[in-house]
Amino acid sequence: MPLDHRRLRGPEESQPPALWAATAAEDEEDKEGAGAAPRDPCALRPLFARAGLLSQAQGSAYVELGSGTKVLCAAWGPREAAEPGAGRLLCEFRRAPAASLALADAGVEMYDLAVGCALCRPPAPAASWMLQPAEPEERRAAARLTLALLPALNQVSAVLGGGRGGPPEDWAQALRLGLDGCHRQYPVLRQSLLRAAQRRDAAA
Amino acid sequence: MASVVLSEAEKLYIVHGVQEDLRVDGRGCEDYRCAEVETDVVSNTSGSARVKLVETDILVGIKAEMGTPKLEKPDEGYLEFFVDCSSNSPELEGRGGEELGTDIANTLYRVFSCENSVDLKSLCINPKEHCWVLYVDVLLLECGGNIFDAISIAVKAALFNTRIPKVRVLEDEEGTKEIELSDDPYDCIRLNVDEVPCIVTLSKIGYRHVVDATLQEEACSLASLLISVTSKGAITSMKKVGKGSLDPESIFEMMETGQRVGKSLHIALQKILDEEENLGTSRPKVGFLG
């Protein structure tokens, strides 16, 4: 939605309040993080996915990841594109694969569901990549990678990564871990689509 | 991005040629075009460079100004990137070029987000109060394919050429700080560009991938991978662009190629920069009229 800059007058410069928070609290959190048992790098957080819950949108999906990430996505259209040629897909993909689930729920013809997965690598020197980091882990990460896979076709549709990764072998290992994670999440999403279709059938 | 319209026959010709490791201009899949790099072309900047890859022409100017450090990193300076594409073609004038410009600027931010690319601590004057901010302005003069690679080469050359004046901080008895610029105009600090990465764009054409694609080759390629490589061969960022998809095996191969090509690119670039440095003031300046 376009912002009305004439009426909404926010401050010229804004700073996040977290910076001014007492540093004592930060130290405690760090010690706790370091002392906790090292988590299994291949563990996927429990995923809950449900398609077809908004009645106003053509398609919708809700995805919830274990420790607190909740994403709701709705798909509208198809509308006539402003420019000729290929149509445009205005969509933002993150860790949760909600967007492609919403599109599939709307009945848009797609080659496959795009499943997204994020990884990060903590700053310790020989640390290994971890799947689906929690927010504090991601803030401290030395390198991050997000990728989207079309599991049935085994084609990677997007890769975005940055940071102090190291030689290509490390990045290749991270990619393999991410691809594996995407493959493991795929059945959950297919199940949710199937259930949504059955519910719609029953209601009709 | 500026693009050419190709017939199906032309596309097929290019694709088949690439499968045999033979491109339209006779290069192999991993060869760059002939590049011209020249530094110190703009006189009123702290550092500048111009890179010409046959038809792609990029001009980068860096201005060092004093500013306040960011709150999260009080003892470091920082870089700001601005990209201007409006001089390229009529369709990129005004708002059209803005999208491409922000895309390039965001890529540059991500490439340089790695902590040790540029020694930001050397840009600090007074922690929390004063630091050097490097404003990097990129001007896209002509787009002939492979602009990301050319821009990253130009940025690295301009950073090598940047001269930041030395300042001294004098403190009074009352505690007020004064910043004094040294009188000698040649007394300046130079940046260490050993860890600055260069972007290598690998475009997938058919079953193989090519480095430094021309506009025609970009029109045949559905997906490309942008990798930023340092001179030691470490990859600092990667991004897939294009509306096609990539096979995971292709991505692994592209990363290997990108690392190999990136390392040789850095060696060649460093050789040119060192040669220019050694010639010093007696270097013949070509500029824009050569």
Side-chain angles (χ1 to χ4, degrees):
Chain A
M1 227 181 75
L3 278 177
D4 187 355
H5 287 281
R6 280 165 293 182
R7 265 183 260 162
L8 300 168
R9 290 204 148 266
E12 295 254 332
E13 250 184 54
S14 64
Q15 296 138 17
L19 281 175
W20 305 102
T23 43
E26 265 179 38
D27 290 330
E28 266 179 48
E29 191 195 285
D30 271 344
K31 269 189 253 154
E32 238 182 70
R39 47 159 279 188
D40 178 12
C42 304
L44 281 175
R45 290 188 276 169
L47 168 74
F48 172 77
R50 183 163 155 162
L53 22 73
L54 292 179
S55 52
Q56 306 95 321
Q58 256 99 6
S60 54
Y62 172 73
V63 174
E64 197 177 305
L65 271 181
S67 50
T69 310
K70 301 178 173 102
V71 179
L72 174 64
C73 180
W76 279 278
R79 287 208 193 105
E80 201 172 304
E83 326 138 352
R88 283 182 65 149
L89 183 62
L90 287 159
C91 159
E92 208 185 281
F93 91 93
R94 279 297 207 81
R95 281 166 276 189
S100 61
L101 202 53
L103 282 172
D105 188 47
V108 175
E109 286 162 13
M110 306 198 312
Y111 289 119
D112 195 359
L113 278 179
V115 186
C117 197
L119 305 99
C120 85
R121 181 205 215 168
S128 59
W129 289 85
M130 291 195 298
L131 269 180
Q132 288 187 344
E135 214 204 300
E137 287 167 341
E138 193 165 327
R139 252 184 289 134
R140 283 186 298 219
R144 289 179 198 91
L145 182 66
T146 312
L147 55 94
L149 174 74
L150 304 172
L153 304 169
N154 199 25
Q155 293 279 302
V156 174
S157 59
V159 177
L160 190 61
R164 220 166 348 127
E169 295 80 41
D170 281 1
W171 288 95
Q173 183 212 348
L175 264 173
R176 281 197 194 92
L177 202 58
L179 294 173
D180 182 50
C182 289
H183 276 292
R184 278 151 65 191
Q185 289 184 322
Y186 189 50
V188 180
L189 300 173
R190 289 187 67 175
Q191 269 297 323
S192 73
L193 263 183
L194 206 57
R195 271 195 230 115
Q198 283 166 349
R199 261 194 312 258
R200 216 179 277 130
D201 232 1
Chain B
M1 188 127 44
S3 56
V4 279
V5 181
L6 287 184
S7 67
E8 288 305 314
E10 282 178 300
K11 284 190 189 163
L12 213 58
Y13 181 68
I14 293 177
V15 172
H16 283 177
V18 166
Q19 310 301 82
E20 309 289 324
D21 196 19
L22 191 61
R23 291 155 79 170
V24 174
D25 46 8
R27 288 185 283 157
C29 287
E30 297 185 11
D31 296 334
Y32 266 88
R33 287 171 283 184
C34 181
E36 297 165 25
V37 177
E38 199 188 342
T39 56
D40 209 19
V41 281
V42 185
S43 50
N44 59 344
T45 53
S46 312
S48 58
R50 181 178 173 218
V51 170
K52 208 161 149 43
L53 267 173
V54 183
E55 281 176 352
T56 306
D57 205 344
I58 312 281
L59 176 65
V60 170
I62 300 187
K63 285 194 134 99
E65 290 185 11
M66 276 225 256
T68 22
K70 293 195 173 150
L71 284 170
E72 311 87 62
K73 306 238 168 101
D75 56 351
E76 287 179 3
Y78 54 97
L79 283 87
E80 294 269 356
F81 293 96
F82 296 101
V83 180
D84 184 359
C85 312
S86 47
S87 42
N88 193 18
S89 67
E91 67 198 26
L92 287 184
E93 233 166 86
R95 300 305 298 275
E98 212 178 285
E99 208 185 294
L100 178 61
T102 24
D103 189 25
I104 300 176
N106 287 336
T107 311
L108 286 172
Y109 274 120
R110 195 158 24 83
V111 166
F112 282 86
S113 66
C114 177
E115 293 103 48
N116 43 7
S117 327
V118 177
D119 186 12
L120 296 172
K121 293 208 162 33
S122 64
L123 296 177
C124 177
I125 304 169
N126 259 337
K128 289 196 196 164
E129 284 172 45
H130 300 107
C131 71
W132 286 113
V133 182
L134 294 179
Y135 291 98
V136 182
D137 292 303
V138 178
L139 205 62
L140 204 65
L141 297 171
E142 203 184 336
C143 177
N146 202 23
I147 43 178
F148 284 97
D149 293 27
I151 289 177
S152 68
I153 297 174
V155 170
K156 179 170 182 179
L159 282 171
F160 180 80
N161 180 244
T162 305
R163 281 157 172 78
I164 304 177
K166 277 206 184 123
V167 289
R168 282 190 312 154
V169 184
L170 305 165
E171 207 171 308
D172 281 0
E173 305 89 41
E174 292 142 20
T176 46
K177 293 190 175 132
E178 243 185 51
I179 298 187
E180 192 187 285
L181 212 60
S182 86
D183 286 332
D184 183 4
Y186 293 107
D187 184 22
C188 43
I189 47 177
R190 305 282 299 273
L191 292 169
N192 182 357
V193 296
D194 288 339
E195 296 284 332
V196 170
C198 267
I199 302 180
V200 178
T201 309
L202 299 123
S203 313
K204 178 147 183 255
I205 298 181
Y207 293 112
R208 298 189 64 154
H209 47 270
V210 298
V211 171
D212 190 18
T214 57
L215 275 180
Q216 288 82 2
E217 285 166 345
E218 277 180 0
C220 300
S221 148
L222 283 175
S224 315
L225 194 64
L226 261 74
I227 298 180
S228 67
V229 191
T230 61
S231 53
K232 299 198 175 76
I235 295 183
T236 58
S237 89
M238 65 172 162
K239 177 179 174 182
K240 176 216 159 262
V241 292
K243 38 185 194 192
S245 59
L246 287 172
D247 206 73
E249 289 307 316
S250 314
I251 299 187
F252 300 141
E253 278 170 35
M254 283 176 167
M255 285 200 289
E256 300 283 317
T257 311
Q259 185 200 30
R260 213 176 25 237
V261 169
K263 273 181 164 166
S264 47
L265 180 65
H266 275 285
I267 295 175
L269 180 62
Q270 198 57 44
K271 205 169 84 146
I272 298 183
L273 292 176
D274 289 336
E275 266 172 25
E276 279 195 340
E277 186 75 14
N278 291 338
L279 287 174
T281 40
S282 58
R283 166 168 66 104
K285 294 208 177 186
V286 176
F288 287 89
L289 301 173

